[in-house]
């Protein structure tokens, strides 16, 4: 509008237009990045909710069943027993 009225020159108008487009693209990238972060956070929250449900389901076990082991444990690593030790080191990797 100001260009039509002669308030700013053609050169200034073109420069302002370029700067505006550059800033608009940058802001769109920031928004897109923020939206992706939000999606990632919501996915992590959903996973956390699922873990909470699983833990609640198996919270009061009287004995460890095969089903519970399959749900709760990813893998168990039994290391070589070091000389002089009664038992080897055992690592349990949970599914969460």
């Amino acid at each position: 509008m100001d260009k039509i009225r002669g308030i700013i020159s053609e050169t200034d108008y073109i420069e302002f237009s370029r700067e505006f487009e550059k800033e608009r693209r940058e802001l769109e990238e920031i928004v897109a990045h923020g939206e992706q972060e939000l999606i990632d956070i919501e996915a992590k929250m959903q996973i956390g909710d699922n873990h909470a449900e699983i833990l609640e389901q198996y919270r009061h076990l009287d004995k460890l069943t095969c089903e519970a082991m399959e749900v709760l444990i990813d893998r168990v690593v039994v290391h070589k027993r070091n000389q002089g030790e009664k038992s080897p080191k055992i690592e349990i990797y949970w599914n969460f």
Side-chain angles (χ1 to χ4, degrees):
M1 202 64 157
D2 291 338
K3 179 182 165 275
I4 294 171
R5 292 184 190 154
I7 296 173
I8 62 171
S9 68
E10 179 78 21
T11 306
D12 288 340
Y13 174 78
I14 292 170
E15 183 64 27
F16 288 140
S17 179
R18 285 183 186 148
E19 289 176 17
F20 175 77
E21 280 300 311
K22 179 183 174 192
E23 186 176 345
R24 185 182 62 79
R25 283 191 302 273
E26 289 171 353
L27 292 173
E28 285 175 347
E29 288 177 14
I30 290 170
V31 168
H33 181 71
E35 288 174 344
Q36 184 58 50
E37 285 183 348
L38 181 60
I39 290 169
D40 294 344
I41 290 169
E42 288 174 342
K44 287 178 183 177
M45 287 174 58
Q46 181 63 38
I47 290 170
D49 289 346
N50 290 343
H51 289 158
E53 290 173 12
I54 290 170
L55 288 174
E56 186 60 34
Q57 181 180 354
Y58 292 100
R59 184 174 171 197
H60 301 289
L61 285 177
D62 292 329
K63 65 179 185 171
L64 188 60
T65 64
C66 289
E67 175 192 355
M69 285 184 4
E70 288 175 1
V71 171
L72 299 173
I73 299 174
D74 178 37
R75 66 185 184 276
V76 176
V77 177
V78 180
H79 296 273
K80 283 179 130 181
R81 184 174 54 199
N82 292 328
Q83 195 170 17
E85 292 182 356
K86 292 183 179 181
S87 58
K89 179 181 175 185
I90 299 172
E91 293 180 274
I92 299 173
Y93 292 88
W94 303 95
N95 277 326
F96 42 87

